[in-house]
Amino acid sequence: MQSQYAAAANAPLIKSPALRVPRPVKLPPDIHPLPESVIPYASTILPFVYPFTLEPHVLRLESSRRNTIAAHTARREALLQAREDEKERRRREALRRVAPGFEGNGSVLMPVRVSSDSMDSAGNGAESMGGQVDAMTHLADQLARLDTTHQPAPRS
């Protein structure tokens, strides 16, 4: 019978000097082999003695890890709460700009009288912050100043 590898059977093989068979591993004579059974270690008469020498080290590492995670969680929660508070504060400020005294929680609208001094300081703060004040806010500030300076005398 002729095989497809018959021609390769007569080809000479060259052994590479870079390749070699590894030496067999020799175990040291003082190594303790695993027992055939763990029954003697698990017996109730002579219980297996567990060395608790690593317990304090493991517990210390675990407690420090838990403290770190708790600190990170608290910091993250505080940051998220501060963000939510800032969003709510901005929303309320926007509502108060539209209607002073409006809280947005469905309660009765209680108007708040704004004095011209606080309007001047609010206008100056807005101009210093953005440098641009929309025309309606500027017009409202000017009208408020005119109202306070030209108060008619009470008639009697």
Side-chain angles (χ1 to χ4, degrees):
M1 222 162 112
Q2 197 173 27
S3 165
Q4 66 183 13
Y5 299 110
N10 298 330
L13 296 177
I14 301 171
K15 183 178 175 185
S16 171
L19 300 175
R20 62 180 176 85
V21 177
R23 294 183 197 145
V25 177
K26 293 183 180 178
L27 295 176
D30 60 343
I31 191 167
H32 177 66
L34 290 175
E36 295 296 324
S37 172
V38 292
I39 299 296
Y41 293 101
S43 71
T44 56
I45 299 170
L46 295 171
F48 176 68
V49 178
Y50 177 75
F52 289 96
T53 56
L54 291 177
E55 293 294 321
H57 175 69
V58 171
L59 292 176
R60 185 172 50 251
L61 288 178
E62 179 65 18
S63 66
S64 68
R65 185 186 70 82
R66 284 185 181 171
N67 291 341
T68 304
I69 289 174
H72 287 191
T73 303
R75 190 176 332 144
R76 185 177 59 247
E77 292 295 327
L79 178 66
L80 291 175
Q81 184 63 38
R83 281 179 152 176
E84 289 298 320
D85 292 345
E86 182 65 21
K87 282 182 186 177
E88 182 65 22
R89 186 188 63 78
R90 287 182 183 173
R91 185 184 73 81
R92 287 179 184 256
E93 283 180 2
L95 289 174
R96 285 188 189 119
R97 270 183 269 148
V98 173
F102 185 68
E103 291 296 321
N105 55 8
S107 62
V108 177
L109 179 62
M110 299 300 292
V112 176
R113 183 159 188 90
V114 179
S115 67
S116 63
D117 296 336
S118 63
M119 288 180 68
D120 289 341
S121 65
N124 293 338
E127 288 172 2
S128 65
M129 282 175 30
Q132 297 177 350
V133 177
D134 62 325
M136 292 301 290
T137 306
H138 187 64
L139 179 63
D141 291 344
Q142 287 179 348
L143 289 174
R145 280 189 220 120
L146 285 173
D147 284 345
T148 57
T149 57
H150 297 293
Q151 294 278 335
R155 295 183 188 182
S156 13

